[in-house]
Amino acid sequence: MSNTPMAASPLTQAVLEIDEYASGLGWDQPARLFALVDTARLRTQEPALAAQLGLEDEQETSGLTPIEQDEIPADRPLDEFLGTIAWPDAVAGCALTVERLMLPPSAEAQVPPGLNEAKLAEWVAEHPERQEVRMTVAVLRDGARESALRLREKDSATEVLTGAGLVPGLAEALAATFEG
């Protein structure tokens, strides 16, 4: 967590830690899913795993530890995959990092009518104002949310935007993994 602000909430720290990890892997990566577990609880209940993750010497008693999950199937829509997830009680929250192409709001009026999903994706990919963005979104069981956005053209830890409501649709989909 070398670049995370000390005053940030544990959830913000976890999101920035995941963003930093994803940044180290470079761009053009698949989506990655993380379980968020209470660090103190992890140290107490799973000391071997905590040691494997390098957490045994950390002084911090509050916080969240992101644990990367198995690879997300590339042949399945993300929303469909998220609908199949059920977390055990030990998981306090979850996070997802995913890359997407985005257009500025001014480009909405330019979208040709009647495009199916594949044609729309192709149109966006060719649009001169497109931006590549990496979104990291996290939710907790208690409803707390946080997001981090990093533009490829401003790929620097100091240029990462954070906020609870930056990617509401993805946050809703992640929150739904804790329902039922």
Side-chain angles (χ1 to χ4, degrees):
M1 285 194 277
S2 58
N3 291 326
T4 59
M6 292 306 290
S9 74
L11 186 57
T12 301
Q13 288 179 351
V15 164
L16 290 172
E17 183 178 339
I18 293 167
D19 172 76
E20 190 174 317
Y21 166 75
S23 176
L25 298 172
W27 286 87
D28 304 316
Q29 296 290 316
R32 295 177 188 280
L33 181 67
F34 299 82
L36 299 175
V37 297
D38 178 270
T39 303
R41 185 174 174 185
L42 178 66
R43 272 198 225 110
T44 303
Q45 295 179 353
E46 298 285 344
L49 178 57
Q52 186 180 352
L53 295 171
L55 300 174
E56 70 277 315
D57 295 328
E58 280 195 26
Q59 299 301 310
E60 195 173 326
T61 56
S62 68
L64 296 165
T65 298
I67 300 174
E68 189 169 1
Q69 303 301 291
D70 291 336
E71 197 169 299
I72 296 173
D75 61 343
R76 194 166 185 191
L78 188 57
D79 57 341
E80 201 177 281
F81 171 74
L82 291 176
T84 67
I85 294 174
W87 297 103
D89 291 341
V91 174
C94 65
L96 181 80
T97 184
V98 64
E99 296 175 15
R100 291 291 185 256
L101 291 176
M102 296 180 76
L103 292 176
S106 60
E108 270 186 47
Q110 303 167 14
V111 177
L115 294 181
N116 64 26
E117 199 170 318
K119 290 288 185 191
L120 179 61
E122 191 177 303
W123 183 82
V124 170
E126 294 171 0
H127 196 282
E129 294 179 76
R130 74 185 177 281
Q131 294 273 336
E132 289 181 77
V133 64
R134 181 182 303 118
M135 302 178 284
T136 303
V137 179
V139 300
L140 296 180
R141 284 184 187 272
D142 68 8
R145 298 171 181 205
E146 186 62 85
S147 305
L149 296 180
R150 181 186 292 248
L151 294 174
R152 189 170 190 158
E153 73 175 28
K154 294 183 178 183
D155 193 1
S156 161
T158 61
E159 295 288 337
V160 175
L161 300 174
T162 59
L166 296 177
V167 193
L170 189 50
E172 283 295 321
L174 290 173
T177 66
F178 291 103
E179 295 170 5

